Amino acid sequence: MEKTALFPGSFDPFTVGHEDIVRRGLNLFDKIYIAIGYNTNKKNFFPVNQRIKWIQSVFSDDPRIEVITYEGLTVEIAKERGTSFILRGIRTAADFEYERAIAQVNKAMSGIDTVFLLTSPEHTPVNSSIVRD
């Protein structure tokens, strides 16, 4: 049975920290869907088509990665794709508290577990806002 995970986010832009989580996640999963979520409450900096191209170019050498887009609940796209897990990166204790609450709701709604990977120390200060700035 193939172990698959969904790595959701806005990825505006996709950072070296995101790449690190995905590459390390491939040690745990057979396939990872990088899912670019559309949030009407957020103003995007980069167009979604550009983000897709950038991410695809980063992983062009690995067929185990598929870049998709979605709107709505993360658990719905995870179920639609048949993924068993949601993959998330954790940089700080504040990230953990936020992600834990979401993971518990997602588990209650869908039965899908969330797997957390700690960010590599050298990538901890990197986030999309800093990269955009």
Side-chain angles (χ1 to χ4, degrees), residues 30-109:
D30 301 312
K31 180 176 183 113
I32 296 176
Y33 294 97
I34 299 174
I36 302 172
Y38 178 72
N39 183 342
T40 56
N41 296 327
K42 275 189 170 181
K43 185 177 184 299
N44 294 320
F45 193 77
F46 294 106
V48 70
N49 289 339
Q50 183 63 58
R51 287 180 270 159
I52 291 167
K53 288 177 188 172
W54 283 334
I55 298 168
Q56 286 173 332
S57 70
V58 169
F59 297 105
S60 63
D61 61 332
D62 200 324
R64 299 174 295 166
I65 302 297
E66 186 176 336
V67 183
I68 62 173
T69 60
Y70 74 102
E71 192 172 344
L73 295 176
T74 299
V75 292
E76 292 300 322
I77 191 67
K79 286 192 291 188
E80 189 178 299
R81 292 293 171 147
T83 60
S84 308
F85 299 94
I86 294 171
L87 176 64
R88 298 296 292 160
I90 301 289
R91 291 179 300 121
T92 65
D95 283 354
F96 175 74
E97 287 303 321
Y98 174 79
E99 294 291 345
R100 179 192 53 78
I102 293 171
Q104 288 174 330
V105 170
N106 286 343
K107 176 72 171 172
M109 287 177 62

Side-chain angles (χ1 to χ4, degrees), residues 1-7 21-33 62-65 83-88 112-117:
M1 181 173 165
E2 187 176 61
K3 288 184 294 181
T4 60
L6 185 84
F7 183 50
I21 294 296
V22 172
R23 292 204 186 274
R24 290 171 40 224
L26 288 170
N27 293 319
L28 303 170
F29 302 106
D30 301 312
K31 180 176 183 113
I32 296 176
Y33 294 97
D62 200 324
R64 299 174 295 166
I65 302 297
T83 60
S84 308
F85 299 94
I86 294 171
L87 176 64
R88 298 296 292 160
I112 296 173
D113 280 311
T114 300
V115 173
F116 299 114
L117 290 180

